[in-house]
Amino acid sequence: MSSATRSRRRGPRIQIPDRKHVDFDSPSSLTGGTLSPDLQPNTPPSFPQDVPTDCYKVGRYLLVQPLDQVGPIHIYKAFHCDTEEDFICKVIPIDKYKDTLSAYYRVGCHDHINEVEEVLLGETQVYVFFAKHLGDLHSYVRDKRKLKEHEAIKFFGQIVTAVAHCHDNGVVLRDLKLRKFVFKDEERTQLKLDGLEDACVLNTDSDWLADKHGCPAYVSPEILNTNDTYSGKAADSWSLGVMLYTMLIGRYPFHDIEPSALFGKIRRGQYSIPDTISSRAKCLIRSLLRMLPSERLTAAEILQHPWFNSGTRLHGSAKSDKKTVDQTVPDIQVEDEEPFFV
């Protein structure tokens, strides 16, 4: 794909044509190797001195460094040959990419949700490019120990507007946690939700889910207790409560070195709030960490809570064109997360 066709895909659903964007087949193993001869440019572009030579050429991009692997998805640091911009590339098996990207198509463009910048189709792999980020909120809170309320209001408002936009468009996040939100700017003032690949796209007005998926520290009690369906949006609200508590207190509300003890505390709703935060902050946390899912505030209702009455505009909007612990939640797909901040 030429650089002239590189543009952001906007609107509630991105329609990707069936034709191949680039004429090549990717290596069977994306862990290193040399460039295929048919991918070599006639005139090599100019790159910074620190770009490694053992990288992959994909369209007008170089995949220069493997970053992570989440299931079948390989994540790379990427570099655009013409603009010299840094990107994140997610390499997805071609038979899975439409389902994997369906949540991005559903939510469209939003100030605080990561957007697909470009999609390149190979014979067996799909290369999805996103703007780079500048660190995640989990690491930021851990380094600061905890956040002052004026800073937490700013960040939590951005988080909730992103979640509310997803819910309004029929997307349940399921695996909400601090690490899912990353910084857009060097000043660390703007967040975006990074990673909708494991979100659930609802096909009806009902948000009842049967599959169990989440991080141990953030999982809601009904997911642990029920063998039946549960409200996905209410489970997201519980996770938002865990996130807010952690930002303000500097540790998870439910934590224990023994998994069974951790899950027992979550099932009982056993936590305490120190007197170091305001009464309004305590009220909001308690309104989210309610045992009965129907009693929790929705994402839209959270933004109406008095805690946000600080004069800061929090209502982000859609754009105009609208590894340290192995705690396993029973029968739930779990991603590792640090047990608590120390």
Side-chain angles (χ1 to χ4, degrees):
M1 174 174 286
S2 67
S3 59
T5 61
R6 178 179 169 268
S7 61
R8 289 192 175 186
R9 303 176 183 273
R10 303 183 180 279
R13 178 174 292 273
I14 300 174
Q15 297 295 334
I16 300 175
D18 292 333
R19 69 179 184 274
K20 298 179 178 62
H21 289 246
V22 287
D23 185 18
F24 67 94
D25 190 5
S26 59
S28 59
S29 175
L30 293 171
T31 57
T34 58
L35 291 172
S36 175
D38 62 334
L39 299 184
Q40 294 280 9
N42 293 330
T43 303
S46 175
F47 306 113
Q49 294 299 316
D50 58 350
V51 174
T53 57
D54 55 340
C55 52
Y56 293 108
K57 180 73 163 51
V58 180
R60 298 305 301 160
Y61 296 88
L62 291 177
L63 275 56
V64 298
Q65 180 184 351
L67 299 176
D68 198 4
Q69 180 177 351
V70 181
I73 302 174
H74 295 256
I75 304 173
Y76 284 80
K77 179 180 179 180
F79 178 85
H80 195 276
C81 300
D82 299 325
T83 66
E84 299 189 358
E85 293 179 88
D86 290 328
F87 288 86
I88 298 295
C89 177
K90 297 183 179 180
V91 183
I92 306 170
I94 199 165
D95 60 334
K96 299 181 182 298
Y97 89 96
K98 288 186 178 180
D99 289 339
T100 301
L101 299 181
S102 60
Y104 291 99
Y105 305 157
R106 178 69 70 87
V107 302
C109 301
H110 188 273
D111 291 338
H112 300 296
I113 299 176
N114 207 5
E115 298 177 36
V116 175
E117 297 285 341
E118 187 168 4
V119 177
L120 300 179
L121 303 184
E123 294 292 339
T124 60
Q125 306 281 0
V126 176
Y127 303 83
V128 186
F129 294 89
F130 299 86
K132 71 173 183 178
H133 63 76
L134 297 151
D136 64 79
L137 186 57
H138 176 99
S139 300
Y140 182 85
V141 175
R142 182 188 59 205
D143 292 344
K144 282 204 163 188
R145 312 289 286 185
K146 60 183 178 180
L147 304 184
K148 296 184 182 299
E149 285 196 36
H150 69 86
E151 188 175 27
I153 286 173
K154 175 182 64 179
F155 289 149
F156 195 62
Q158 295 175 29
I159 290 168
V160 177
T161 58
V163 175
H165 181 76
C166 290
H167 287 183
D168 288 346
N169 285 276
V171 173
V172 173
L173 281 310
R174 299 195 304 170
D175 189 28
L176 268 176
K177 53 188 176 184
L178 290 177
R179 202 181 297 279
K180 283 277 188 178
F181 285 85
V182 297
F183 289 100
K184 299 164 60 176
D185 58 339
E186 293 281 359
E187 296 76 21
R188 306 294 198 274
T189 62
Q190 294 294 314
L191 291 169
K192 62 180 178 180
L193 174 58
D194 179 43
L196 298 179
E197 290 83 8
D198 53 2
C200 179
V201 177
L202 304 175
N203 295 317
T204 68
D205 291 337
S206 172
D207 71 328
W208 292 95
L209 304 178
D211 62 319
K212 299 182 177 184
H213 179 96
C215 174
Y218 294 87
V219 71
S220 60
E222 65 271 17
I223 293 179
L224 294 172
N225 291 334
T226 186
N227 291 320
D228 202 354
T229 57
Y230 62 94
S231 167
K233 293 179 181 179
D236 281 353
S237 289
W238 175 278
S239 298
L240 288 171
V242 174
M243 293 171 69
L244 179 58
Y245 183 104
T246 307
M247 292 164 67
L248 293 174
I249 308 303
R251 58 178 172 82
Y252 295 140
F254 308 97
H255 58 86
D256 200 285
I257 59 174
E258 292 295 332
S260 59
L262 167 66
F263 301 138
K265 291 177 180 179
I266 294 174
R267 288 188 177 98
R268 295 189 297 273
Q270 179 184 335
Y271 71 97
S272 61
I273 305 178
D275 291 329
T276 55
I277 62 175
S278 69
S279 58
R280 288 184 175 183
K282 292 179 182 179
C283 175
L284 180 52
I285 291 172
R286 293 189 179 111
S287 297
L288 295 171
L289 297 182
R290 293 186 180 276
M291 294 298 292
L292 288 178
S294 61
E295 294 183 355
R296 296 172 201 153
L297 295 180
T298 66
E301 291 170 343
I302 293 171
L303 293 171
Q304 307 304 317
H305 193 275
W307 186 61
F308 286 111
N309 293 338
S310 63
T312 301
R313 181 171 178 82
L314 295 169
H315 298 276
S317 62
K319 296 182 180 178
S320 60
D321 60 353
K322 138 83 186 176
K323 305 214 174 182
T324 59
V325 63
D326 293 317
Q327 295 184 334
T328 304
V329 180
D331 299 322
I332 297 178
Q333 297 179 32
V334 173
E335 294 186 9
D336 292 342
E337 185 68 61
E338 296 184 15
F340 53 90
F341 298 115
V342 294

